[in-house]
Amino acid sequence: MLTFVLWLLLLVFCWPVALLALVLYPLVWLLLLPFRLVGLAVEGVFELLRGIILLPARVLRGRPVA
């Protein structure tokens, strides 16, 4: 909601910049989407490695694996 109010203020005070931001926002989002997907994949790999490395310690302590 705050973002929308700020955009409306920008529209009132400097409408060309507000319209440019309105047009460029989806393009920037599309450009950044592959980086988000790579970040999710890397995070998944790190969690998998963490689970593999910490599994013996969990089994030795008697904690449930799940």
Side-chain angles (χ1 to χ4, degrees):
M1 183 69 182
L2 180 64
T3 307
F4 181 67
V5 171
L6 289 174
W7 186 83
L8 285 177
L9 285 172
L10 185 64
L11 181 64
V12 169
F13 291 116
C14 189
W15 63 268
V17 175
L19 293 179
L20 185 67
L22 191 64
V23 170
L24 288 181
Y25 181 78
L27 297 175
V28 171
W29 186 85
L30 282 174
L31 285 173
L32 294 179
L33 188 60
F35 296 108
R36 288 185 182 200
L37 294 175
V38 168
L40 283 173
V42 169
E43 184 179 349
V45 169
F46 282 148
E47 285 295 320
L48 177 66
L49 289 174
R50 180 175 173 253
I52 290 171
I53 291 171
L54 294 179
L55 182 63
R58 286 181 146 188
V59 171
L60 288 176
R61 279 193 252 172
R63 285 187 175 175
V65 176

